[in-house]
């Protein structure tokens, strides 16, 4: 029974990693008026979600260094709305989960997803639900049942 549970946990975690790894790259972020000028210097685009858009677009293109730079700038921008910073944490958490441009670190990914989920980011909440459903530790039955209920 324990072996079957371990295989299920491993399969769910691999599925999450596969979904993140197969995320389309090289797809344009959208029309220029929505995505901002990705090649522009940081802060050159006026709207408060431009760093998030630039970072997410760079991550999809596989330009991890630019993505990390934009997302860290987004997190340090205290004038950006809370939901924008939460979305930046979610994308950065995904990068930590797969090791794109940053060291692969499940603990850091988990912490970023948790902080973004606490701020109301739906994608972070979904990612946390997947992680909670895939990882089973003593005393986590309540979190696991909640995660499975969400999925």
């Amino acid at each position: 029974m324990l072996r079957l549970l371990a295989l299920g946990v491993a399969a769910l975690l691999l599925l999450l990693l596969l979904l993140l790894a197969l995320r389309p790259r090289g797809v344009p972020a959208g029309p220029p008026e929505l995505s901002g000028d990705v090649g522009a210097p940081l802060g050159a685009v006026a709207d408060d979600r431009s760093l998030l858009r630039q970072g997410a677009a760079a991550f999809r293109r596989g330009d991890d260094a630019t993505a990390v730079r934009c997302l860290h700038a987004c997190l340090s921008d205290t004038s950006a709305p809370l939901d924008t910073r939460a979305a930046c944490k979610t994308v950065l958490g995904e990068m930590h989960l797969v090791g794109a441009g940053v060291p692969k670190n499940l603990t850091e990914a988990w912490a970023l997803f948790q902080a973004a989920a606490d701020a109301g980011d739906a994608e972070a909440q979904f990612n946390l639900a997947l992680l909670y459903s895939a990882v089973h530790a003593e005393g986590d039955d309540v979190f696991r049942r909640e995660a499975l209920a969400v999925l």
Side-chain angles (χ1 to χ4, degrees):
M1 176 73 176
L2 187 58
R3 183 179 295 170
L4 184 61
L5 179 65
L7 286 173
V9 166
L12 283 172
L13 192 54
L14 283 173
L15 178 63
L16 176 65
L17 289 173
L18 181 65
L19 288 173
L20 289 173
L22 292 178
R23 175 177 274 197
R25 293 177 183 253
V27 177
E33 67 273 10
L34 294 178
S35 64
D37 182 7
V38 176
L42 292 180
V45 182
D47 77 73
D48 52 43
R49 293 185 67 88
S50 62
L51 289 172
L52 168 62
R53 288 187 184 112
Q54 289 177 21
F59 180 42
R60 284 193 301 270
R61 280 194 321 270
D63 184 1
D64 298 331
T66 300
V68 169
R69 186 171 56 96
C70 290
L71 294 170
H72 280 292
C74 175
L75 290 178
S76 63
D77 181 8
T78 57
S79 67
L82 183 62
D83 64 326
T84 299
R85 288 187 308 220
C88 288
K89 288 177 187 177
T90 300
V91 177
L92 197 55
E94 291 171 358
M95 294 181 75
H96 277 283
L97 191 63
V98 298
V102 292
K104 191 173 190 176
N105 186 338
L106 180 62
T107 304
E108 183 66 20
W110 198 297
L112 286 164
F113 289 150
Q114 185 66 59
D118 289 345
D121 187 75
E123 188 173 343
Q125 292 168 353
F126 179 77
N127 288 342
L128 267 181
L130 285 175
L131 290 176
Y132 273 119
S133 69
V135 177
H136 182 69
E138 190 68 33
D140 281 349
D141 289 339
V142 172
F143 291 122
R144 190 172 198 290
R145 283 194 301 266
E146 288 176 2
L148 288 172
V150 169
L151 295 174

